[in-house]
Amino acid sequence: MRRLGQSRLESWLRNRKIRNATAVAATAIEAATAQHTTLPGQRLAADMVSRLAKGVIALNEEIAEVDTLIESRFRQHQHAKIILSLPGFGPLLGAEFLASTGGDMTVFGTADRLAGVAGLAPAPRDSGRVSGNLHRPRRYDRRLLRAFYLSALASIRWCAASKTYYDRKRTEGKRHTQAVIALARRRLNVLRAMLRDNTEYQAGPAVIAA
């Protein structure tokens, strides 16, 4: 690293899309400059680290190629534009949604049925005199839950309507995770209606509380 220098290391990191390349390069060169002690077996350890690093880089590049293929395939789907119009859904989460549902909402019948498959509709576990004991169903599609949860989480930052709904649930005393799940359930209804009516998402005017 000392021979490589900070500028060349920074360029090498940037070419591989490493975050904070400048800071990482500066820290690495500073550590390399401060190290002058030779340890037994350090050359063997360095070779092992180098091989592991190359393996990680190759894996990252392969993942990026697969993501590109998934996005390309997703954009060819007839519902791609509708799904992407809903804030929080990108090509990869949209592809997860299609992989789990096939994009045909008639298969699920109702929004409640789709929510049950996604694990967003609590199922009763009443016993004896105990009632109202609701929990997530034991069997549900984890990929579908992940797609709606992550999209809801992202929409809080970029969608005013989602942020307002999330804040209201938090005001009602729900924890962060509970509020996000409630928002995901609401957005499931919206997306299902959009696909049923073949219409893209349109944000309504902001509502000012009295």
Side-chain angles (χ1 to χ4, degrees):
M1 281 191 181
R2 288 194 293 265
R3 290 195 302 270
L4 186 64
Q6 180 172 338
S7 60
R8 292 174 62 190
L9 177 59
E10 182 179 342
S11 299
W12 188 88
L13 293 172
R14 287 187 185 280
N15 291 336
R16 285 154 182 80
K17 299 181 180 179
I18 304 298
R19 294 181 180 180
N20 302 321
T22 302
V24 172
T27 302
I29 295 301
E30 181 181 356
T33 304
Q35 181 179 344
H36 297 286
T37 303
T38 301
L39 300 177
Q42 72 173 24
R43 183 174 295 279
L44 175 61
D47 291 340
M48 293 176 61
V49 170
S50 177
R51 291 185 180 184
L52 290 173
K54 290 178 180 178
V56 171
I57 292 172
L59 182 59
N60 285 337
E61 293 175 350
E62 184 176 350
I63 291 174
E65 292 176 0
V66 172
D67 287 346
T68 301
L69 291 174
I70 292 174
E71 179 178 352
S72 176
R73 181 63 176 170
F74 166 74
R75 291 186 182 277
Q76 296 174 16
H77 196 276
Q78 58 179 340
H79 295 321
K81 290 185 64 177
I82 296 176
I83 296 172
L84 291 177
S85 70
L86 184 63
F89 265 102
L92 296 183
L93 289 182
E96 284 195 43
F97 169 77
L98 290 179
S100 298
T101 64
D104 185 4
M105 297 297 99
T106 60
V107 174
F108 300 95
T110 65
D112 291 339
R113 173 59 180 162
L114 177 59
V117 174
L120 293 172
R125 294 187 189 174
D126 300 339
S127 176
R129 297 181 178 179
V130 178
S131 61
N133 190 13
L134 301 177
H135 294 274
R136 180 177 297 165
R138 289 187 176 89
R139 295 182 179 179
Y140 59 93
D141 192 319
R142 296 181 182 276
R143 291 188 307 175
L144 197 54
L145 174 62
R146 178 181 181 274
F148 276 108
Y149 184 88
L150 292 181
S151 69
L153 197 61
S155 71
I156 296 173
R157 298 181 58 189
W158 310 112
C159 177
S162 295
K163 181 67 164 61
T164 300
Y165 185 84
Y166 169 83
D167 290 340
R168 187 171 51 145
K169 290 300 177 182
R170 292 286 285 168
T171 303
E172 293 173 1
K174 293 187 179 296
R175 298 191 300 272
H176 167 71
T177 302
Q178 293 174 322
V180 176
I181 290 177
L183 175 59
R185 174 68 172 88
R186 183 182 181 91
R187 285 164 50 84
L188 179 146
N189 292 348
V190 173
L191 182 57
R192 179 183 177 276
M194 289 165 53
L195 294 174
R196 179 196 62 201
D197 301 336
N198 197 31
T199 57
E200 297 182 17
Y201 177 79
Q202 294 182 354
V207 177
I208 302 177

